Amino acid sequence: MKRILSIQSHVVFGCAGNSAAVFPMRRLGMEVWPINTVQFSNHTQYAAGWQGMAMPAGHIGALCEGLGNIEVLGRCDAVLSGYLGSAEQGDEILAVVAAVKSANPAALYFCDPVMGHPEKGCIVAPGVTRFLTEKALPVADIMAPNLLELETLCGVHLATLAQTRAAAHQLLESGVKMVLVKHLGRAASVAGRFEMLLATPQGDYLISRPLYDFARQPVGVGDLISALMLANLQAGHEAVSAFERTNAAVDAVLRQTWEADAYELQLIAAQGAFADPVIAHRAERLADALA
């Protein structure tokens, strides 16, 4: 059994951050140790707002110290980080990553660089974006940005698939071992599809799934993608297989959510797809030349 330390947000109601990630990873057979960066009543894109707080400075470090005291850090196989409540939490997370890798040099750091989209109601604290770009990027083994986050990480505007591949390879050249671009958006190769890109030193792969016509787009899809990709990798699937399984499982969740006319992701209803996804869409290997 693999063990994943998941450090991100938590909502009491609905599915975002750890509330979207922990159950799917456990359903895939992972032992998950959640640490919450914030605890909110609900995600921040409800018109009525939300209640809750970011965890105070020192909280993450103290929990890690407690894990060290009972000598379990060496059993941790991966650290997953997502939404941060403050830039200071980022420094604490990197200290956790260092402690885990000291105890288990084979452990991975999977960074989901959540930078927020104010126009959608997703807001991050001051300094978080700078932390992700300047401090998290040099340490991460795997990065999973969306298109806007990839633009920020690389300081470029991306409008085409070729440009997006070049930006992903910029991250690879900086030392990241794998880049998952979770949503290509305007850089997609086919309009009307949800496309993702997987960039590795061995090659680049493109995959797609249907876009569903939601009245309100569900929140937490990116958190789910990152969690499933990491869990599939930890379960022993090679990169492309993990990519295909992740895409299929996310499609099953989105289809179930759309059919239920729901705003929150229907993780329980679609849980069978986490461990046994029906792969209808295969990843396409792209030509090696970046044009």
Side-chain angles (χ1 to χ4, degrees):
M1 180 183 295
K2 297 290 186 175
R3 299 168 179 87
I4 297 172
L5 180 58
S6 182
I7 310 175
Q8 50 188 316
S9 62
H10 170 76
V11 292
V12 176
F13 173 82
C15 301
N18 271 332
S19 301
V22 172
F23 172 68
M25 291 194 290
R26 287 176 172 164
R27 190 65 175 77
L28 264 165
M30 303 295 110
E31 181 178 313
V32 185
W33 307 342
I35 292 179
N36 300 327
T37 57
V38 304
Q39 178 153 298
F40 293 162
S41 56
N42 48 274
H43 69 66
T44 60
Q45 295 181 43
Y46 278 90
W50 74 95
Q51 296 293 326
M53 61 178 288
M55 296 298 105
H59 178 73
I60 295 171
L63 293 177
C64 180
E65 181 180 352
L67 295 175
N69 290 342
I70 60 172
E71 300 181 350
V72 296
L73 290 180
R75 303 181 196 173
C76 182
D77 298 289
V79 177
L80 170 63
S81 70
Y83 183 93
L84 303 181
S86 68
E88 292 76 16
Q89 287 183 343
D91 291 327
E92 291 185 66
I93 289 172
L94 293 191
V96 172
V97 171
V100 167
K101 290 198 170 197
S102 176
N104 176 14
L108 295 174
Y109 175 33
F110 189 119
C111 178
D112 185 345
V114 180
M115 296 179 184
H117 302 292
E119 68 278 6
K120 293 184 179 180
C122 180
I123 301 168
V124 298
V128 166
T129 295
R130 183 174 180 180
F131 160 78
L132 292 167
T133 302
E134 297 181 0
K135 295 184 178 181
L137 175 58
V139 176
D141 295 297
I142 304 172
M143 293 285 287
N146 61 30
L147 188 73
L148 298 179
E149 291 158 352
L150 182 61
E151 287 182 326
T152 301
L153 289 168
C154 296
V156 295
H157 175 72
L158 303 173
T160 68
L161 177 59
Q163 291 171 346
T164 305
R165 291 179 67 192
H169 278 261
Q170 184 177 325
L171 300 190
L172 293 177
E173 290 163 6
S174 74
V176 178
K177 299 177 180 65
M178 185 184 299
V179 179
L180 169 60
V181 185
K182 294 182 297 189
H183 182 22
L184 295 184
R186 62 174 175 269
S189 64
V190 178
R193 303 283 293 177
F194 187 103
E195 291 185 348
M196 298 192 295
L197 174 71
L198 179 67
T200 74
Q202 292 74 39
D204 297 348
Y205 298 84
L206 184 70
I207 203 166
S208 70
R209 62 169 174 79
L211 274 174
Y212 298 96
D213 186 21
F214 288 101
R216 292 188 298 175
Q217 287 292 327
V219 171
V221 178
D223 305 323
L224 177 63
I225 291 171
S226 293
L228 286 171
M229 185 66 181
L230 176 57
N232 275 297
L233 290 169
Q234 290 296 301
H237 298 283
E238 54 86 24
V240 177
S241 175
F243 190 41
E244 292 175 336
R245 290 172 61 88
T246 296
N247 187 64
V250 172
D251 180 53
V253 172
L254 269 293
R255 184 173 64 252
Q256 187 76 44
T257 304
W258 179 70
E259 290 174 351
D261 192 25
Y263 184 33
E264 296 287 353
L265 295 174
Q266 298 298 291
L267 301 181
I268 304 300
Q271 64 178 288
F274 300 145
D276 189 22
V278 177
I279 301 173
H281 306 283
R282 293 291 179 180
E284 171 195 358
R285 178 163 182 153
L286 301 173
D288 289 339
L290 292 175

